[in-house]
């Protein structure tokens, strides 16, 4: 092998190593920032595992919303038709948040209660985010929360 061939081989190996390292770092960064969506039944069944952060999707149970006068701390219950899970948040809720509407909350599970860092809501009860509707199924009607049809995009 000539010195020129040896130098080219070294450059090829360095480029391959750098590319592999960059790919590995990107994969780790993306994996750490992914937040999977689970329904209350999946969380209570243990499907969420020991994930530090995930998303909870479902419908806010009518009559479950509680907030002290002048406080940011809010408590409500989310259901998927099979199970319910209490949710707490100290963040500002969106204007469209209401009982009986679909919500997706990002946060963590702590002592059987979901602590939400972010709550997203849709005001029209005829719309449920596709991910939530797929997980909840069209047949659930427990807890006075029918699963509406998914709106076409």
């Amino acid at each position: 092998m000539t010195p020129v061939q040896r130098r080219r081989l070294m450059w090829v190996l360095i480029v391959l190593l750098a590319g592999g390292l960059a790919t590995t770092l990107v994969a780790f960064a993306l994996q750490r920032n992914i937040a999977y969506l689970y329904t209350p039944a999946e969380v209570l069944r243990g499907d969420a595992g020991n994930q530090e952060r995930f998303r909870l999707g479902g419908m806010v149970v009518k009559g479950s919303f509680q907030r002290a006068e002048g406080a940011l701390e809010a408590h409500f219950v989310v259901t998927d038709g099979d199970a319910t899970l209490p949710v707490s948040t100290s963040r500002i809720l969106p204007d469209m948040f209401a009982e009986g509407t679909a919500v997706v909350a990002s946060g963590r599970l702590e002592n059987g209660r979901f602590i939400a860092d972010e709550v997203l809501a849709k005001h029209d009860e005829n719309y449920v985010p596709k991910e939530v509707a797929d997980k909840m199924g069209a047949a659930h009607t427990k807890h006075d929360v029918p699963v509406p049809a998914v709106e076409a995009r």
Side-chain angles (χ1 to χ4, degrees), residues 12 22 27 38 46 76 80 83 92 96 112 127 134:
V12 168
Y38 294 98
F76 54 94
D80 61 357
I92 296 174
M96 295 182 279
Y127 172 82
D134 289 346

Side-chain angles (χ1 to χ4, degrees), residues 41-55:
E42 291 172 329
V43 171
L44 294 175
R45 215 175 29 235
D47 292 353
N50 292 330
Q51 292 186 38
E52 186 171 314
R53 185 172 166 78
F54 60 93
R55 294 182 304 157

Side-chain angles (χ1 to χ4, degrees), residues 55-91:
R55 294 182 304 157
L56 175 70
M59 303 288 281
V60 178
V61 175
K62 292 183 179 179
S64 69
F65 181 73
Q66 299 173 350
R67 174 182 277 167
E69 187 67 33
L72 266 181
E73 184 74 25
H75 305 278
F76 54 94
V77 177
V78 173
T79 185
D80 61 357
D82 287 333
T84 60
L85 191 65
V87 177
S88 294
T89 185
S90 58
R91 304 289 174 108

Side-chain angles (χ1 to χ4, degrees), residues 80-82 132-143 145-149:
D80 61 357
D82 287 333
V132 174
D134 289 346
K135 291 205 174 219
M136 288 173 60
H140 298 302
T141 56
K142 293 181 184 177
H143 306 290
V145 182
V147 179

